Amino acid sequence: MCRWYLKWSFATSLALLVIAIASCRKDFEYVPSTGNLKFSKDTVFLDTVFTNIGSSTYSLKVYNRSDEDIYIPYVGLESGQNSSYRLNVDGLSGKEFNDVPLLAKDSLYVFIETTFDISQTSENEFLYTESLFFGTGPMTQKVELVTLVRDAVFLYPRTLSDGTKESLVLGMDENGAEIKVEGFYLEPNELLFSNEKPYVIYGYAAVSKGNTLTMQPGTRVHFHHNSGILIDTGASISINGTLSEDPDVLENEVVFEGDRLEPFYADQPGQWGALWIREGSSSNTINYLTLKNATVGLRIEGDNTLDSPTLTLQNTQIYNSQNHNIWSTGAYITAENTVLGSAGSSSFLGELGGKYSFTHSTLANYWPHGFRNGTTVSLRNFRMNEAGNREVAPMENADFVNCIVFGSMDTELLLQQDSNADFNFSFSDCLLKLSLDDDLVVENPLYNFENSSFYRNIVFNEDPDFNKPTENQLNINENSAAIDLADPNVSLTVPIDILGINRTQNPDLGAYEFVTDN
């Protein structure tokens, strides 16, 4: 009985071993692919990159839908090792691979990147295409790789002998230590930006005392992370965009945005720093600028010398800033046909007094990226300094005429006064978003709507009927409460809207005039 059992056990074990060996051997019985691979896409578009700047990583999935384990005899780029594309195939980096295994009913990932030097061509913009091959001979399959490469003017701080980068001193902290940022002063031959090539800035590009940075129509400026433009004391900036025929292309406007050109980054806030106008800078002018995706769009430090404008702003839209679209401290700003869209805090913050005039402007905050900690418009005649002490200065005036102040919160206007300084403001012929029974509003004399020195011809909480407010498309539609409500006498001083539409007859509130489709 025992001998029989042992014979049976030995025979069974031997059979199982044979099966196991056969099973293991099957894992190594690969056959070459026969041109039947399937791909997640037949063309991989790597979007647009600047010359010599690496792209994001893009993926391609390769499928073996057959019942056989296969190997792909060759996976590689058309130009081989000379290609400007780079691959990672199933975890291995390179440009050419041999005998890549792929099990039955399985798949593998191919990751693709590129860095291209456009000096290899004679063009400012070059469509770089190449084939990615799978297999050899008549069984070869291919996937096309496509990316648009742009030439650019690169501006960046020098690396010093100790390995550090050039820096700019912004001031002193409460301990007397210098506050620095990576940055450099523009040379005299760098003070004119044209539309010939886009500009890519690393660090803060600064304009020194006595100089003006001028930008021509169609200029494109792209900023790396934590980069921006700084206008120093006694310097100025003149942005001279003009009206574009195509509101999507904005061919004649000046555009400020980040240096990542992939679609994922099109509406990502906080990609770069700010256009920073320092105390003591004046006579700055901005016309037809689109500024988006900054940390702070415009940072304006005035000196409360309010005889002439620190900044004149016209036909400009600023949106999707991580903090404020405009953050002004004691400055003098005049704005016409200005659109301040969504921001992570206030669309416009005016603090430590100052002097402000907004005419036919749309300020609307529908921040789609989570909680925001500021109203659309916030005005106060004080600020807290770096040492935690309160500083106070008069708000000489803050006047809003023919404007819209709206957003997704119940109350979108915050007024705060320190009684030790004047606080002068007015809203005339405006559409405002305010919770009229909020304790903040009811108990604060600054919200006395019977006081005609503060409020005249105000419409509260009626729908402005913006086109796509969460996407910062703030032109108004046919059911807007803003239609025909503007003061026509004021409109004659700003006779066309931000899109070039005449508003001298029955004008609408805000920067956009409603026009029916023909």
Side-chain angles (χ1 to χ4, degrees):
M1 182 74 176
C2 182
R3 186 180 300 169
W4 175 85
Y5 175 79
L6 289 174
K7 286 183 179 180
W8 179 86
S9 178
F10 175 76
T12 301
S13 298
L14 183 62
L16 291 174
L17 180 62
V18 170
I19 292 172
I21 291 172
S23 175
C24 290
R25 287 183 61 193
K26 185 176 184 296
D27 288 342
F28 295 97
E29 291 178 354
Y30 291 93
V31 297
S33 62
T34 58
N36 292 324
L37 297 172
K38 301 296 181 183
F39 305 100
S40 58
K41 57 192 78 171
D42 56 14
T43 302
V44 179
F45 294 97
L46 280 79
D47 299 306
T48 304
V49 297
F50 288 115
T51 180
N52 292 315
I53 302 297
S55 71
S56 293
T57 302
Y58 295 79
S59 64
L60 172 71
K61 202 167 186 181
V62 183
Y63 301 93
N64 172 18
R65 302 199 188 281
S66 73
D67 296 322
E68 293 183 298
D69 299 337
I70 66 171
Y71 65 88
I72 309 171
Y74 176 80
V75 177
L77 294 157
E78 183 178 1
S79 300
Q81 296 299 321
N82 295 321
S83 176
S84 294
Y85 287 102
R86 301 181 298 277
L87 305 176
N88 184 296
V89 177
D90 213 20
L92 298 176
S93 298
K95 297 186 179 182
E96 295 178 294
F97 306 83
N98 295 308
D99 299 335
V100 178
L102 184 54
L103 297 177
K105 305 296 185 183
D106 204 354
S107 62
L108 63 83
Y109 275 103
V110 177
F111 297 101
I112 307 150
E113 299 175 345
T114 188
T115 303
F116 188 85
D117 183 357
I118 205 168
S119 66
Q120 301 172 36
T121 76
S122 60
E123 303 176 31
N124 289 338
E125 195 168 270
F126 178 73
L127 193 65
Y128 176 40
T129 62
E130 191 163 336
S131 296
L132 173 57
F133 293 128
F134 295 83
T136 58
M139 300 300 181
T140 300
Q141 296 175 267
K142 66 180 180 179
V143 172
E144 298 299 331
L145 308 179
V146 179
T147 188
L148 182 66
V149 184
R150 289 180 180 171
D151 198 3
V153 177
F154 292 90
L155 301 170
Y156 47 86
R158 293 175 300 167
T159 300
L160 304 178
S161 57
D162 61 359
T164 63
K165 296 286 183 66
E166 280 185 285
S167 62
L168 301 169
V169 177
L170 300 181
M172 311 292 285
D173 64 18
E174 63 272 20
N175 299 317
E178 291 182 336
I179 302 171
K180 294 183 177 181
V181 294
E182 280 191 6
F184 57 98
Y185 282 101
L186 293 167
E187 299 293 334
N189 63 351
E190 296 173 328
L191 292 173
L192 177 63
F193 285 18
S194 72
N195 63 4
E196 182 180 350
K197 296 179 183 180
Y199 294 77
V200 181
I201 295 178
Y202 288 75
Y204 273 82
V207 183
S208 59
K209 183 177 181 179
N211 290 315
T212 298
L213 174 59
T214 302
M215 297 190 182
Q216 296 178 341
T219 296
R220 298 293 189 262
V221 187
H222 300 264
F223 299 90
H224 196 60
H225 185 59
N226 290 333
S227 300
I229 290 176
L230 189 146
I231 310 301
D232 216 342
T233 301
S236 62
I237 188 169
S238 177
I239 296 177
N240 302 303
T242 59
L243 181 65
S244 299
E245 293 185 7
D246 189 329
D248 295 319
V249 177
L250 300 176
E251 70 279 5
N252 295 325
E253 289 200 17
V254 175
V255 178
F256 285 6
E257 59 185 318
D259 66 346
R260 299 307 300 265
L261 306 182
E262 301 90 337
F264 173 79
Y265 293 95
D267 297 303
Q268 292 296 311
Q271 293 180 45
W272 58 282
L275 169 53
W276 195 334
I277 297 174
R278 301 299 307 276
E279 182 178 337
S281 170
S282 61
S283 302
N284 298 283
T285 59
I286 296 176
N287 196 12
Y288 285 105
L289 168 69
T290 293
L291 187 159
K292 61 180 181 177
N293 302 333
T295 300
V296 174
L298 295 182
R299 176 68 179 109
I300 307 171
E301 296 176 311
D303 54 11
N304 278 303
T305 301
L306 307 175
D307 297 330
S308 61
T310 313
L311 171 65
T312 299
L313 192 61
Q314 296 174 303
N315 305 303
T316 289
Q317 52 181 338
I318 304 173
Y319 58 88
N320 217 33
S321 300
Q322 185 70 48
N323 293 319
H324 310 287
N325 288 324
I326 296 181
W327 175 10
S328 173
T329 303
Y332 180 178
I333 299 174
T334 64
E336 298 175 348
N337 279 345
T338 294
V339 178
L340 302 181
S342 294
S345 189
S346 294
S347 297
F348 175 75
L349 168 62
E351 65 174 3
L352 196 62
K355 189 174 182 178
Y356 307 106
S357 174
F358 282 81
T359 306
H360 270 295
S361 294
T362 299
L363 303 91
N365 198 339
Y366 292 83
W367 181 247
H369 303 288
F371 174 78
R372 64 176 160 103
N373 59 2
T375 57
T376 294
V377 172
S378 180
L379 301 171
R380 55 184 182 238
N381 63 352
F382 61 89
R383 73 162 180 177
M384 305 305 294
N385 62 21
E386 291 81 1
N389 299 318
R390 176 177 284 203
E391 298 177 346
V392 180
M395 181 74 75
E396 187 166 317
N397 66 266
D399 299 327
F400 295 77
V401 183
N402 287 356
C403 292
I404 301 173
V405 177
F406 227 81
S408 55
M409 294 171 58
D410 290 339
T411 293
E412 292 289 6
L413 173 62
L414 179 62
L415 304 172
Q416 296 175 293
Q417 179 182 11
D418 186 301
S419 60
N420 292 307
D422 290 340
F423 189 81
N424 300 308
F425 71 94
S426 68
F427 290 84
S428 301
D429 299 280
C430 289
L431 173 58
L432 303 182
K433 179 76 174 293
L434 284 168
S435 178
L436 299 178
D437 56 359
D438 189 321
D439 289 344
L440 170 70
V441 173
V442 172
E443 298 177 3
N444 191 333
L446 298 177
Y447 296 93
N448 179 4
F449 305 119
E450 302 300 320
N451 187 339
S452 61
S453 298
F454 294 163
Y455 304 95
R456 293 184 297 275
N457 301 326
I458 304 301
V459 175
F460 293 105
N461 304 324
E462 297 293 328
D463 186 5
D465 195 19
F466 294 126
N467 188 24
K468 295 180 180 179
T470 59
E471 299 177 24
N472 294 294
Q473 296 181 23
L474 298 175
N475 49 310
I476 57 176
N477 293 317
E478 60 183 355
N479 294 318
S480 174
I483 291 176
D484 295 347
L485 289 187
D487 181 339
N489 294 320
V490 174
S491 299
L492 290 175
T493 66
V494 191
I496 64 170
D497 80 346
I498 192 171
L499 298 179
I501 298 169
N502 187 291
R503 61 156 63 101
T504 56
Q505 300 293 321
N506 301 318
D508 304 332
L509 302 178
Y512 296 96
E513 190 75 6
F514 172 71
V515 177
T516 57
D517 295 328
N518 294 326

